[in-house]
Amino acid sequence: MSADPPTSPSSAVVYPRWLRISHWLNALAVPLMMGSGWRIYDAAPLFAVSIPREVTLGGWLGGALQWHFAAMWLLAGNGLFYLTVNLVGGRLFRRFFPVSPRGVLADAVLALRGRLRHDDPGRYNQVQRAAYLFATLDLVVLAMSGLVLWKSVQFAVLRDLLGGYEAARLVHFVAMVLLAGFVALHLVMVALVPRTLPRMIRGR
Amino acid sequence: MPRPKTDAARPDAGSILKEARKLLAPRLAEPSRRTFLGSLTLGGVAMLSGCSLNDGDQVERALAAISRFNDRVQGWIFDPDALAPTYPAAMITRPFPFNAFYGIDEAPAVDEAGYALEVSGLVADKRGWRLGELRALPQVEQITRHICVEGWSAIGRWGGVRFSDFLKRVGADTGAGYIGFKCADDYYTSIDMATALHPQTLLALTYDGRVLPREYGFPMKLRMPTKLGYKNPKHIRALFVTNSNPGGYWEDQGYNWFGGS
Ligand code: HEM
């Protein structure tokens, strides 16, 4: 636990502008992708469940596909931007590491007891680190499996890596469910610790 | 005239239909809608700008423009030498599902005796082709995966004339942009020239070693494992080579035109 930046006073910028823009673009792209994806899923459900029409986007399959294949540019472009800036500047390593199963567990226990401190906005606790890293990775898996579903002939290496077209369908679906889980938890956490919200809007 | 899509058919329609039902049951009775923004949910449009329904047109136009952009991107990604995977006979989906914008009983019955494939547009030789003549050309066969725009897929075995051979034989202008197809069920669609010349693109005359049955598109289907199901026309009556995009039955309603995989 050495490389952490010094404690930031509450007035310091904890979320640079590029990050905030990227976060809110992502928060727009994800519901668009998920809502339209649910409508596409309903056209030929993999499982016995269908998604209620009221929460889907696009109205019919063709409309949902148009939304999905439009919002994918926003999701992918913004995601690449986020990853690039995070990696190049080294923020990814400063902000999200170290992270360990034990640390995550310890912080989770503290959080459940209501004793996890939030007074240093410049640092993520281990639960946050794990959750945000998970969301990022999961979005990468969603994008990769989506590429296979879209272009299974052209992206042959990726297709074989995922075990073929039908397997990619399953991967895409499971990754979607996991992301939905993350978003739900994320929103509950924001509701529980509402002072993080203006921070993500104004940066400090 | 586009007919409403009703996959539900009568109980006597046989095992193909049963299989199709099993595969596709959850999406039966799916309405196709041309104006989908009227029923847009999730407050999707409202979320974008808090806009009223009048702005729906603008959103629809923007989505259509992005879809055309995606056509170009797919044309650019398309590798004329990349082959779709082929499968052993044991992996064929049996029975192969029936899928069309109408029920299996309504699939058109084309009479072979009176049939000749019309060929027109930018080709040197515009005479019609009888089925016997097409069967006399060199035949190839392949077992490939058919991927539907709805997400499901099935493996089938198609045989027939390599389409690029046919195009050469009729002296098609392969520098032209598009090939359009008109079908006996009033379906129509069109493809890009690069896909038309792809080695796995077949003018399919057989299915699983038999003459292509009515439910799978007799007398012929253009089979392209590099494109989604709706791009693979069945019951082809006429084809033409052109430089202006002829669109398609589903494409004109909003499905992506390139529809490649
Ligand atoms: C309207 C919905 C959303 C709200 C209100 C919201 C709110 C927030 C807030 C307040 C933070 C800062 C949290 C903190 O200080 O611990 C944050 C960070 C984050 N959120 Fe969201 N969020 C939303 C949607 C999403 C979605 C859909 C995703 C991804 C699927 C997402 C992924 C993330 C990630 C990865 C971070 C960490 C960013 C970083 O530091 O690099 N958020 N969000």
Side-chain angles (χ1 to χ4, degrees):
Chain A
M1 296 273 197
S2 53
D4 294 317
T7 304
S8 11
S10 62
S11 61
V13 171
V14 275
Y15 297 117
R17 179 190 301 267
W18 69 263
L19 175 77
R20 282 174 281 139
I21 292 173
S22 178
H23 177 269
W24 292 116
L25 285 178
N26 190 57
L28 170 69
V30 167
L32 290 179
M33 290 304 278
M34 227 180 259
S36 55
W38 290 345
R39 184 62 191 79
I40 298 168
Y41 168 90
D42 275 355
L46 267 174
F47 304 102
V49 288
S50 320
I51 315 278
R53 282 300 142 84
E54 298 72 47
V55 299
T56 66
L57 174 66
W60 72 295
L61 175 61
L65 286 163
Q66 286 191 343
W67 276 105
H68 210 65
F69 289 111
M72 73 173 183
W73 293 114
L74 178 61
L75 186 80
N78 182 55
L80 281 174
F81 168 75
Y82 173 82
L83 283 178
T84 308
V85 183
N86 241 342
L87 274 168
V88 168
R91 177 181 181 272
L92 183 77
F93 306 101
R94 284 198 306 275
R95 207 70 159 99
F96 298 97
F97 291 93
V99 62
S100 68
R102 186 180 296 178
V104 173
L105 201 69
D107 276 356
V109 169
L110 281 179
L112 288 175
R113 293 214 185 115
R115 295 233 292 276
L116 193 61
R117 324 248 338 210
H118 270 273
D119 42 25
D120 181 2
R123 275 189 66 189
Y124 285 142
N125 64 55
Q126 297 244 349
V127 178
Q128 287 170 303
R129 291 177 194 184
Y132 296 150
L133 284 171
F134 170 80
T136 307
L137 261 178
D138 193 46
L139 276 164
V140 171
V141 171
L142 267 168
M144 295 297 114
S145 54
L147 274 180
V148 172
L149 297 182
W150 187 42
K151 293 264 150 267
S152 70
V153 176
Q154 309 306 323
F155 301 135
V157 174
L158 207 52
R159 178 196 68 222
D160 294 343
L161 209 69
L162 291 184
Y165 175 83
E166 286 290 340
R169 255 186 111 186
L170 193 64
V171 170
H172 202 62
F173 182 83
V174 171
M176 177 280 291
V177 171
L178 292 175
L179 190 70
F182 164 81
V183 173
L185 185 74
H186 188 52
L187 295 183
V188 167
M189 293 316 290
V190 174
L192 289 178
V193 194
R195 67 175 178 280
T196 57
L197 185 56
R199 229 183 260 153
M200 188 43 106
I201 297 168
R202 273 184 269 108
R204 60 187 85 222
Chain B
M1 266 309 289
R3 271 166 277 168
K5 180 178 185 170
T6 51
D7 284 326
R10 274 135 269 175
D12 60 337
S15 64
I16 293 164
L17 186 68
K18 237 180 265 152
E19 176 63 13
R21 268 220 197 97
K22 216 167 61 213
L23 257 168
L24 319 173
R27 57 168 195 91
L28 295 184
E30 169 130 320
S32 72
R33 228 169 278 129
R34 193 168 153 55
T35 51
F36 50 89
L37 280 156
S39 58
L40 186 74
T41 48
L42 198 81
V45 173
M47 210 181 74
L48 282 176
S49 59
C51 48
S52 66
L53 256 167
N54 295 345
D55 299 326
D57 279 353
Q58 251 157 300
V59 175
E60 206 165 335
R61 262 201 300 278
L63 289 173
I66 296 172
S67 191
R68 285 193 298 275
F69 169 73
N70 287 342
D71 287 339
R72 285 200 297 279
V73 172
Q74 291 177 90
W76 172 73
I77 291 176
F78 182 81
D79 176 352
D81 300 318
L83 296 183
T86 55
Y87 301 87
M91 286 181 72
I92 294 174
T93 308
R94 296 186 190 279
F96 192 85
F98 169 82
N99 193 33
F101 62 98
Y102 43 73
I104 191 166
D105 295 342
E106 295 158 57
V110 175
D111 175 25
E112 175 165 354
Y115 178 86
L117 172 69
E118 280 172 39
V119 181
S120 62
L122 305 169
V123 295
D125 178 0
K126 294 194 172 131
R127 77 189 167 82
W129 286 77
R130 322 237 341 136
L131 282 183
E133 296 173 282
L134 288 169
R135 289 181 189 131
L137 298 179
Q139 307 285 302
V140 288
E141 200 174 59
Q142 67 201 13
I143 300 173
T144 50
R145 185 183 293 280
H146 166 108
I147 298 176
C148 180
V149 64
E150 294 165 343
W152 58 269
S153 76
I155 295 172
R157 174 180 168 215
W158 290 270
V161 181
R162 189 169 274 144
F163 196 47
S164 61
D165 290 350
F166 179 79
L167 290 176
K168 257 169 241 147
R169 213 168 269 268
V170 299
D173 175 3
T174 52
Y178 312 92
I179 302 190
F181 299 88
K182 295 179 189 159
C183 305
D185 54 3
D186 289 340
Y187 194 76
Y188 62 103
T189 187
S190 55
I191 60 168
D192 54 297
M193 186 58 78
T195 302
L197 298 175
H198 186 271
Q200 287 175 313
T201 297
L202 296 189
L203 203 48
L205 303 168
T206 69
Y207 182 76
D208 202 13
R210 298 170 289 135
V211 171
L212 192 70
R214 181 173 74 106
E215 63 271 24
Y216 297 153
F218 184 84
M220 77 187 66
K221 157 179 181 133
L222 193 75
R223 171 61 196 151
M224 294 167 282
T226 55
K227 283 210 192 286
L228 297 174
Y230 67 92
K231 296 301 298 181
N232 290 238
K234 297 183 285 193
H235 314 288
I236 300 170
R237 188 164 64 62
L239 61 85
F240 54 101
V241 179
T242 172
N243 271 318
S244 59
N245 188 333
Y249 173 85
W250 287 114
E251 294 89 327
D252 294 350
Q253 298 178 62
Y255 279 11
N256 177 259
W257 176 78
F258 195 91
S261 52

